[in-house]
């Protein structure tokens, strides 16, 4: 499958939240989104907005910085929100149950470089990059699996 890419600007946190919210209802178990970008880029902001869109704003969505994984029972599929920054070995990935979750749950993974070879090939990668303007980000999307095409349609023009 060919690698596809697309980028667009996210002028503020609300646009990032809006992007997450439009994607949220289209996701199914087995969908994996790898969230790349430096500290403070907005990876957790995106994941929290997506989980809020599936669960409602009242839900507490803490950053999985220390727990590595937080799971949420959302209608239709479980959501796994992972932050692998503090991962100490690749063995932990399997111990956490993350490799099984890739097949069955909606997985949002911060610091996915820690996955090495375990990163699923069907994943969508969202890279958030920061620039000169403090509240602005650029979103770089990359994917190989054609199923992402339909879901991303509103953002691909
Ligand atoms: N356009 C934007 N999109 C997303 N977040 C933005 C944007 N502009 C400003 N922000 C702010 O940047 C911060 C991003 O913090 P967040 O915790 O989401 O970063 P992170 O990428 O998860 O960092 P870490 O690597 O430490 O986990 C939030 O306070 C958010 O409101
Ligand atoms: Mg984070």
């Amino acid at each position: 499958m060919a690698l596809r890419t697309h980028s667009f600007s996210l002028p503020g946190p609300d646009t990032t939240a809006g992007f997450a919210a439009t994607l949220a209802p289209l996701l199914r178990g087995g969908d994996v989104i790898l969230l790349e970008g430096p500290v403070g880029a907005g990876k957790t902001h995106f994941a929290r907005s997506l989980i809020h869109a599936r669960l409602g704003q009242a839900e507490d969505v803490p950053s999985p910085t220390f727990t590595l994984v937080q799971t949420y029972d959302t209608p239709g599929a479980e959501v796994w929100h992972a932050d692998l920054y503090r991962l100490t070995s690749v063995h932990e990935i399997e111990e956490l149950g993350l490799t099984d979750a890739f097949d069955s749950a909606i997985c949002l993974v911060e610091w996915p470089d820690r996955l090495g070879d375990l990163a699923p090939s069907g994943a969508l990668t969202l890279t958030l990059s920061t620039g000169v303007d403090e509240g602005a980000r650029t979103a770089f999307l990359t994917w190989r699996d054609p199923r992402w095409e339909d879901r991303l349609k509103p953002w691909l023009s």
Side-chain angles (χ1 to χ4, degrees), residues 62-128:
S63 174
T65 311
F66 296 102
T67 54
L68 301 191
V69 170
Q70 302 279 348
T71 62
Y72 302 88
D73 273 316
T74 81
E78 205 175 18
V79 174
W80 283 50
H81 179 197
D83 180 339
L84 304 181
Y85 190 80
R86 288 185 163 71
L87 198 79
T88 48
S89 87
V90 269
H91 304 296
E92 252 185 294
I93 297 165
E94 220 144 323
E95 278 167 25
L96 286 164
L98 201 54
T99 36
D100 289 333
F102 287 158
D103 295 328
S104 58
I106 295 166
C107 296
L108 311 172
V109 185
E110 300 184 42
W111 298 100
D113 55 308
R114 309 292 196 269
L115 291 171
D117 292 345
L118 296 176
S121 58
L124 172 73
T125 300
L126 168 62
T127 305
L128 296 168

Side-chain angles (χ1 to χ4, degrees), residues 10-13 16 38-45 83 110-111 134-137:
L10 299 166
T16 305
V39 170
K43 303 180 293 296
T44 299
H45 181 68
D83 180 339
E110 300 184 42
W111 298 100
E134 196 170 312
R137 306 285 188 266

